[in-house]
Amino acid sequence: MASMRRLIRSIAFVLTLVAAFAASSTGLFALGSAIHSERLSMNLTMMIFGLPRPLQRLRAHSLNPDTFTIAFMGDSTVIAYPEGQTIHERLESVLIPQWLGPGRISVESLSSLGMTPAGFFLIQDKITEARPDVAIVTANLTLIRDSLPPNLHRPELAGWVRSHRLYDALIGLGLHKFGVTADRLFLYKSIVSAGWAGIWMAQLAGQAHLGHLREVVEEAVAEKTGWTAQQDHTRQRDLRRGTESLLPRTPPRLTRIGAQRMVGEPMAGIDADQWAIRILRAILEEFARTGRATVLYVPPINIDHLKSVGVYDEAGLAKSLATLERIAYETDAEFADLHDLLPDAAFRDTGAHLTYAPGYDGPTIVAEALAPYVMIQTRAVAQNR
């Protein structure tokens, strides 16, 4: 009898502990949300809020033989502009009056801030299911690195990988460099398969809001006590990083160290065994296997500035571009190499985002240069339909 009471007390203690933890975490999440109520951009944002609608439109268009759909898979260099001035919107505006085939053309953006080829590989099954006629796959030279910055890792997207590609996601393509490990892969797939992605994101949002709560607490403590050690450390770290990477000028430009960090690898010459190149090949091969036409798109980078800080290497870059062109050729993709399309004055920051005012309307210039490659593939689809 005594042992039974001890068991009951133990169970009651555990249940009380769980309830207390749930209540405290819920309370902290609510407080964090009250301090910072804006929706946060997180790794799951595109899957919960960003992609469903364009994917639905692509699926709907796929049922209409008179519509030819183009899915633009890009990063912030495609979409970081005012509404109506993004590269994908400009591309559609250029293509529509040039289209002489049957039906109409529609361009859908599947782009997201900080999206890399590794991220698109993980969600490619969702895109394939939407059946675009042409997929534009972005190969941003600033993101083709052996080691991506941690803020660009999106291992949560592994929750949407289909079973037939699990080996490549886990072993074959080196996605551990993207944060994809066996435990994460199977945990995330279990969450998504159970239909809990929304709950998962809510929990992640609560934890992210706590970061803002911490900042408020630090500021309050500093104001009341004068103790600013943590804030001073953070400011000094950010200042040191900024001084090392950025030149003191407007618009912002990278120092030699910053530029080397960003594009040093493609400037040194990348071959077919580099992990980002293998992922790009896998994406193009999967689209070819499922009957999707593709364009491998290399967006503009600031070649003029790279030359001015002594980072530009013509021979090494030529090797990297030849590697990209080879995988495009071997997967029947069009190779749209626009890396040197624009001068320094067309770049508004260090992230290869373009100006969009009169003088250098970057998105329009890029769209006009990209359109012929997209048109070739769209006409091929029309002829075979």
Side-chain angles (χ1 to χ4, degrees):
M1 194 69 177
S3 61
M4 179 62 71
R5 284 196 295 270
R6 284 196 297 272
L7 177 60
I8 292 173
R9 282 199 299 270
S10 298
I11 294 173
F13 174 76
V14 171
L15 292 175
T16 301
L17 189 64
V18 170
F21 175 78
S24 61
S25 63
T26 300
L28 285 172
F29 285 177
L31 180 58
S33 182
I35 293 293
H36 190 276
S37 59
E38 297 178 12
R39 179 186 291 173
L40 300 173
S41 177
M42 296 178 296
N43 291 351
L44 292 179
T45 301
M46 68 177 299
M47 299 306 299
I48 306 300
F49 298 110
L51 280 187
R53 287 186 178 178
L55 289 177
Q56 288 171 4
R57 288 193 292 267
L58 283 172
R59 290 191 198 98
H61 288 317
S62 72
L63 302 175
N64 182 356
D66 292 329
T67 301
F68 297 89
T69 54
I70 295 125
F72 205 135
M73 300 160 55
D75 50 43
S76 62
T77 61
V78 175
I79 59 175
Y81 309 97
E83 185 176 354
Q85 294 180 274
T86 62
I87 290 179
H88 65 273
E89 289 170 306
R90 294 298 200 202
L91 178 62
E92 184 176 80
S93 297
V94 172
L95 289 172
I96 287 176
Q98 293 181 5
W99 179 245
L100 301 177
R104 58 183 290 269
I105 283 181
S106 174
V107 179
E108 288 289 346
S109 174
L110 306 182
S111 304
S112 180
L113 304 181
M115 199 62 171
T116 65
F120 277 116
F121 172 84
L122 293 175
I123 64 168
Q124 185 175 5
D125 296 306
K126 299 291 290 184
I127 299 171
T128 301
E129 289 172 2
R131 301 181 62 80
D133 293 301
V134 180
I136 302 171
V137 180
T138 300
N140 190 331
L141 292 173
T142 68
L143 298 177
I144 300 180
R145 319 185 206 174
D146 190 59
S147 179
L148 286 171
N151 65 304
L152 295 181
H153 292 183
R154 294 186 176 180
E156 294 87 347
L157 300 181
W160 282 268
V161 174
R162 292 288 185 264
S163 298
H164 73 281
R165 298 199 301 143
L166 286 179
Y167 176 84
D168 282 340
L170 187 58
I171 298 173
L173 293 176
L175 280 161
H176 62 278
K177 296 180 180 181
F178 197 61
V180 178
T181 55
D183 55 344
R184 285 176 170 175
L185 175 64
F186 293 112
L187 173 62
Y188 298 160
K189 274 197 63 63
S190 297
I191 292 172
V192 173
S193 297
W196 295 344
I199 298 172
W200 182 19
M201 181 167 176
Q203 290 296 309
L204 292 176
Q207 295 173 39
H209 282 300
L210 289 180
H212 294 279
L213 176 61
R214 173 189 167 183
E215 293 175 3
V216 171
V217 172
E218 287 178 353
E219 291 173 0
V221 170
E223 183 177 341
K224 294 292 185 182
T225 68
W227 185 77
T228 61
Q230 180 60 38
Q231 291 177 309
D232 291 342
H233 172 73
T234 301
R235 291 192 189 102
Q236 290 171 5
R237 180 195 62 199
D238 293 343
L239 179 62
R240 185 168 60 252
R241 288 177 178 173
T243 303
E244 180 183 71
S245 299
L246 294 175
L247 294 170
R249 55 164 290 190
T250 302
R253 291 293 183 263
L254 293 170
T255 62
R256 178 183 173 87
I257 291 175
Q260 181 67 32
R261 186 177 296 145
M262 181 170 284
V263 296
E265 289 182 55
M267 287 297 161
I270 294 174
D271 58 32
D273 291 332
Q274 202 263 5
W275 79 288
I277 297 293
R278 289 192 290 119
I279 287 170
L280 282 167
R281 175 186 285 277
I283 291 172
L284 296 174
E285 287 178 342
E286 179 68 8
F287 278 137
R289 186 187 68 81
T290 57
R292 313 271 76 80
T294 49
V295 176
L296 184 61
Y297 159 58
V298 181
I301 59 173
N302 194 340
I303 292 295
D304 288 349
H305 181 68
L306 295 176
K307 290 179 178 178
S308 73
V309 294
V311 172
Y312 180 75
D313 184 323
E314 183 177 2
L317 180 57
K319 177 182 177 182
S320 298
L321 293 170
T323 298
L324 289 169
E325 185 174 17
R326 190 179 312 116
I327 68 169
Y329 174 78
E330 292 172 354
T331 57
D332 293 325
E334 283 295 312
F335 183 54
D337 174 19
L338 309 184
H339 81 277
D340 59 353
L341 179 68
L342 295 168
D344 176 79
F347 294 88
R348 71 176 197 263
D349 58 25
T350 62
H353 303 114
L354 308 175
T355 59
Y356 46 86
Y360 279 113
D361 182 355
T364 297
I365 296 171
V366 170
E368 290 174 345
L370 180 59
Y373 301 97
V374 178
M375 189 67 77
I376 288 171
Q377 294 293 60
T378 309
R379 285 173 177 158
V381 171
Q383 289 173 359
N384 295 324
R385 180 172 286 183

